[in-house]
Amino acid sequence: MYDVIIVGGGASGLACALTLVSSRGRGWSWAEDKKYLIFDKNESDLHKAYLKNVPGLQPMRGTELLQVIRKQIEEWGGVEFLQEKVVEIRRDGEAYRVITEEGKEYVGRYVVLAGGFKEFSIKGIDFEVLENPKSPKPGRVMIKHENYEVMPNLFVVGTLAGISSHFTSCAGSGVEVAVEILSRMAGKRIVIHDVPED
């Protein structure tokens, strides 16, 4: 059983994961043993990007930025990465069963959909798929949600949530959902800030 399963390893999925794992090592007993899983097929549109207008970031290729974020996540520990395609999600009591193309099943208390807006073909739950109103290209999709929540403890982030396709917009939505999930785990509102030790 995973605490959170994230489907998609682009800007929003990785930002969500980084925020989740950064709750470790802060003296919060409820955060220490959490297990996270990311399905990442290395298909993020960031692989084609060159980022010159991200606040505070020197210009770099999107592929390089994805590697930097992934390394940050791995330094915290507690996250497993799998290169499998998710084809179905089913409700399983208070959790969700995530099924891959290979027929493997993974169970998570929370699920975050971060798979981009080119298509959405995951079966099992009656997702309401709409045209994405913020896409500059036709045929892009989003999943209907309320404050990023599609149904209890199942969230959507990034362009699949109807967010603008800019890196900072997508990453911000992933952080927002991670903070909501952590707050539910803690049983109170939390925000994660880091300050210098000196």
Side-chain angles (χ1 to χ4, degrees):
M1 166 82 80
Y2 292 91
D3 292 282
V4 183
I5 295 175
I6 300 170
V7 182
S12 58
L14 292 183
C16 183
L18 180 58
T19 304
L20 289 169
V21 296
S22 72
S23 64
R24 299 160 69 101
R26 296 175 186 272
W28 296 338
S29 58
W30 56 267
E32 291 308 317
D33 297 323
K34 298 296 188 241
K35 289 174 53 182
Y36 304 108
L37 173 62
I38 300 177
F39 288 100
D40 180 14
K41 296 276 292 173
N42 285 318
E43 295 174 347
S44 170
D45 282 344
L46 269 179
H47 287 292
K48 302 178 223 167
Y50 184 65
L51 304 165
K52 294 171 64 175
N53 64 349
V54 175
L57 186 71
Q58 293 297 319
M60 71 170 60
R61 294 187 181 277
T63 296
E64 182 184 354
L65 181 55
L66 288 169
Q67 290 170 350
V68 167
I69 300 169
R70 187 163 168 157
K71 184 177 178 194
Q72 287 178 288
I73 292 168
E74 290 168 348
E75 286 173 356
W76 285 99
V79 179
E80 184 178 347
F81 287 86
L82 292 178
Q83 282 192 319
E84 298 177 33
K85 181 178 180 181
V86 172
V87 295
E88 188 173 352
I89 298 174
R90 294 187 202 141
R91 191 79 185 265
D92 186 4
E94 300 216 348
Y96 291 92
R97 192 166 295 277
V98 176
I99 302 155
T100 67
E101 200 168 45
E102 292 84 357
K104 297 178 184 174
E105 296 190 12
Y106 305 86
V107 178
R109 291 184 176 89
Y110 297 87
V111 170
V112 179
L113 302 172
F117 64 169
K118 290 183 180 172
E119 64 164 0
F120 186 78
S121 58
I122 296 174
K123 308 290 184 210
I125 290 174
D126 190 19
F127 297 102
E128 190 171 349
V129 180
L130 310 170
E131 180 143 348
N132 189 313
K134 294 188 179 175
S135 171
K137 296 180 180 178
R140 300 301 192 246
V141 299
M142 65 172 283
I143 295 175
K144 186 175 180 182
H145 61 89
E146 186 169 333
N147 295 321
Y148 300 111
E149 195 163 17
V150 179
M151 56 192 305
N153 297 335
L154 191 152
F155 296 88
V156 60
V157 294
T159 53
L160 194 55
I163 300 298
S164 168
S165 62
H166 194 278
F167 170 81
T168 50
S169 300
C170 291
S173 71
V175 171
E176 191 73 21
V177 165
V179 169
E180 177 60 29
I181 291 171
L182 291 172
S183 295
R184 293 182 188 189
M185 289 176 176
K188 63 181 180 179
R189 298 309 305 174
I190 66 141
V191 178
I192 297 178
H193 292 298
D194 293 304
V195 294
E197 292 181 8
D198 55 345

